[in-house]
Amino acid sequence: MKIVIGCDQGALELKNYIKEVLAEFTDITVEDVGTYTADSVDYPDIAEKICAKITSGEAERGIALCGTGIGISIACNKVDGIRAALCHNVFTARMSRQHNDANVLAMGGRDIGFGPAAEMVRVWVAEEFLGGRHKRRVDKIMAIADK
């Protein structure tokens, strides 16, 4: 699986740590689309880069980070085909995959500690979409963009 990861300056340290966590998985490749310094950047630009890789098929999933995770998750969800879930704990990360087939995990670099973030990423990477009644619901969510 290929995962694309990106952040603004508010989550640079968390992004770099998460890349180390993802390196634990031999079946995952990671592409980092920035930012790479503490200089201020606009998170919608990073969100676009992450989502473009997913919607083009270059990556299966993405991890999007900003100071709170709120702004970048909103920006990601503006892209057709993206289901970004802002998660704050292992339970929400698990449910985002099992019930919502989230293809982007969003987190806040200023409100999630490294330990909890690592556990969330490990669970999110490992979980599969359950389908069934959840697929019907995800299909309805995705159809909203067509209206």
Side-chain angles (χ1 to χ4, degrees):
M1 173 184 348
K2 182 173 180 180
I3 295 177
V4 61
I5 189 170
C7 69
D8 72 358
Q9 72 283 353
L12 180 60
E13 290 179 17
L14 181 61
K15 180 193 74 169
N16 290 334
Y17 179 73
I18 289 172
K19 286 169 48 179
E20 293 175 20
V21 172
L22 291 170
E24 298 170 6
F25 296 87
T26 58
D27 59 337
I28 291 177
T29 58
V30 177
E31 181 176 353
D32 183 346
V33 295
T35 194
Y36 310 106
T37 71
D39 296 337
S40 181
V41 297
D42 295 332
Y43 56 79
D45 297 334
I46 302 298
E48 275 193 290
K49 290 179 184 181
I50 293 167
C51 295
K53 297 285 183 179
I54 296 168
T55 58
S56 71
E58 292 179 56
E60 287 80 18
R61 297 188 201 169
I63 298 176
L65 310 163
C66 69
T68 62
I70 297 168
I72 203 161
S73 67
I74 292 170
C76 287
N77 279 316
K78 294 294 182 183
V79 177
D80 193 28
I82 297 299
R83 292 173 305 282
L86 175 58
C87 297
H88 292 94
N89 54 50
V90 170
F91 177 75
T92 56
R94 178 176 289 114
M95 292 300 103
S96 78
R97 287 290 309 134
Q98 287 183 356
H99 291 194
N100 306 115
D101 198 18
N103 52 9
V104 175
L105 170 63
M107 292 185 290
R110 294 182 178 143
D111 68 347
I112 301 289
F114 283 14
E119 291 308 308
M120 290 166 58
V121 167
R122 289 182 186 108
V123 165
W124 188 78
V125 165
E127 290 295 335
E128 296 294 330
F129 180 49
L130 295 179
R133 70 181 187 275
H134 305 294
K135 182 176 182 337
R136 181 180 71 246
R137 294 168 183 161
V138 169
D139 289 346
K140 286 182 176 187
I141 291 169
M142 300 312 290
I144 292 171
D146 297 332
K147 291 183 181 179

